[in-house]
Amino acid sequence: MGRKRLQEPADGRPTVHTVAARAGVSIASASRVLNGIGGSPETIRKVRAAAAEVGYVPNAIARSLQSQRTGLVALAVEDIGNPVYVEMMRAIEAVVASSGRQLLVHATGGRIDNETALLRRLANRYVDGMIVSPIRVTDDHLTALVDSPVPVVVVGQLGADAAVDNVRTDSRHGVALAVDHLVASGRRRIGFVNGPLDTVPGAARDAGFRAAQARHDIPLDEDLIEVGDFQYVAGRAATERLLARADPDALVCANDLIAVGALHALLAAGRQVPQDVALVGMDDTELARMMFPQLSSVSLGSAERGHRAAELLLQRIADPTLPPRREQVPPSLAIRASSGTPLPAPRPAGPPTTHPSSEGVTA
């Protein structure tokens, strides 16, 4: 008995028909084996051998159409180069990978039209779900979020009545932690370098700074407040503008990228950190620990927020009927050399000093 005639598609790629014919089994039997559903040991052996012989590659698109699952999850953030989003992305990817899915990352530039267009494109169901971290939230955002045909989780602030899974922090309280620390260390002329006020984080951090100043009975000096963008270059330029008109003894910066720009502006102006000006950033990214002096920074739990958002998304994919969930990650302050006791100056090279007694000396 001769072999069944192989059926090839127009582009010549082997199909399940090809494998079934080569293995001498029905198309249904070959399909069950190739989709991992099973079959008798002999059928499985024949189908796998035939698939290897003809070079069969599963059609992932066809599978996703049948299962309504793509195995992909999307993450949309303003700037994939910002260290805070890098930490968030790593945490999300770890959770997503544990479910057998892959992560696609989109940079939106913080543009509302980019984010809403991306949400509406989800109608094509090219991903199983999406995590988005918008810095601006409009009515268009909320409509697109609610109307999304696939699950969406928002990392950031949303209104109390938004029927969307949400993981947030309290950056207003985070700024208060920074101001409290600086006041406790004797600083009174505290400046603030912020990002755009039309963004959710910019507005919250501005409100937090003003409230903290009032709570400590420090008269508000608008000359000590400067607005730029959440980037290094803008942060440095904003600090230079502030220094041109005011003489702060401390600065709070709305993120670590701004804080690094502020550090360089201060040093270029001949100000020592922290002796002349204490400095505190926000987000507590790896960047804060890479600077010299190391930056004090308010952690907003970017990795934890990403981890929780990914878990919420996987739960929502598994059970779309769950009620909307809201989780909050509290801020914390990491105090380092830029606002604490300065590092001692290195001693000049020379012969080791001898001590008459080692009593009381500890390693």
Side-chain angles (χ1 to χ4, degrees):
M1 176 179 170
R3 284 185 173 174
K4 295 180 182 178
R5 183 173 177 272
L6 300 182
Q7 301 181 36
E8 303 289 352
D11 61 6
R13 288 178 298 133
T15 66
V16 65
H17 297 266
T18 315
V19 174
R22 178 73 72 183
V25 301
S26 69
I27 293 172
S29 295
S31 179
R32 282 194 294 271
V33 173
L34 294 173
N35 285 294
I37 298 173
S40 70
E42 181 63 13
T43 298
I44 292 173
R45 183 193 65 77
K46 286 182 179 180
V47 171
R48 287 178 177 174
E53 183 181 347
V54 302
Y56 171 78
V57 177
N59 189 327
I61 296 175
R63 283 190 179 182
S64 67
L65 290 173
Q66 291 176 347
S67 67
Q68 296 295 299
R69 292 285 185 266
T70 66
L72 301 174
V73 166
L75 168 65
V77 296
E78 177 203 12
D79 175 13
I80 59 176
N82 188 324
V84 70
Y85 294 129
V86 173
E87 292 188 5
M88 187 180 295
M89 177 183 66
R90 288 173 179 164
I92 292 171
E93 188 169 34
V95 176
V96 167
S98 70
S99 74
R101 293 180 172 85
Q102 292 181 308
L103 184 67
L104 301 177
V105 182
H106 299 263
T108 68
R111 289 177 50 187
I112 296 170
D113 56 342
N114 280 353
E115 291 169 351
T116 54
L118 184 60
L119 285 164
R120 292 187 176 109
R121 284 201 299 273
L122 294 181
N124 296 324
R125 300 190 70 91
Y126 74 93
V127 293
D128 295 338
M130 181 175 178
I131 299 170
V132 59
S133 184
I135 63 171
R136 296 174 176 87
V137 177
T138 66
D139 290 342
D140 282 347
H141 275 102
L142 295 175
T143 299
L145 288 167
V146 173
D147 292 344
S148 171
V150 301
V152 178
V153 176
V154 173
V155 179
Q157 298 285 343
L158 287 179
D161 57 346
V164 180
D165 293 330
N166 177 216
V167 180
R168 60 180 60 198
T169 187
D170 187 351
S171 59
R172 177 171 175 153
H173 179 55
V175 173
L177 293 176
V179 173
D180 291 350
H181 160 62
L182 293 169
V183 170
S185 65
R187 313 284 175 159
R188 297 288 293 181
R189 299 188 313 278
I190 303 172
F192 182 47
V193 186
N194 197 6
L197 294 177
D198 67 338
T199 65
V200 173
R205 292 167 201 190
D206 178 75
F209 179 78
R210 293 171 184 272
Q213 293 278 91
R215 185 161 44 81
H216 288 288
D217 295 323
I218 299 176
L220 189 66
D221 184 351
E222 294 290 346
D223 283 346
L224 287 170
I225 299 176
E226 187 57 67
V227 174
D229 203 347
F230 293 111
Q231 302 292 335
Y232 164 81
V233 172
R236 180 166 182 167
T239 304
E240 290 170 350
R241 293 194 297 271
L242 189 153
L243 293 176
R245 64 172 184 262
D247 184 28
D249 61 11
L251 284 179
V252 176
C253 297
N255 74 359
D256 286 346
L257 285 171
I258 294 175
V260 173
L263 174 62
H264 292 168
L266 288 166
L267 296 177
R271 311 291 181 91
Q272 296 185 71
V273 177
Q275 294 92 332
D276 299 327
V277 182
L279 183 62
V280 181
M282 290 195 76
D283 290 329
D284 195 25
T285 61
E286 289 182 350
L287 195 59
R289 297 180 289 278
M290 293 166 62
M291 292 297 104
F292 186 84
Q294 288 189 326
L295 291 173
S296 296
S297 188
V298 177
S299 171
L300 299 176
S302 55
E304 178 64 19
R305 283 184 288 152
H307 183 90
R308 292 194 191 184
E311 289 186 330
L312 288 181
L313 183 63
L314 294 182
Q315 293 166 11
R316 174 68 60 191
I317 291 171
D319 184 0
T321 66
L322 289 170
R325 282 85 42 88
R326 177 177 297 163
E327 296 193 6
Q328 183 146 323
V329 176
S332 60
L333 174 63
I335 299 174
R336 301 190 181 92
S338 72
S339 69
T341 303
L343 296 175
R347 287 186 289 184
T353 303
T354 59
H355 299 276
S357 170
S358 61
E359 185 178 355
V361 177
T362 58

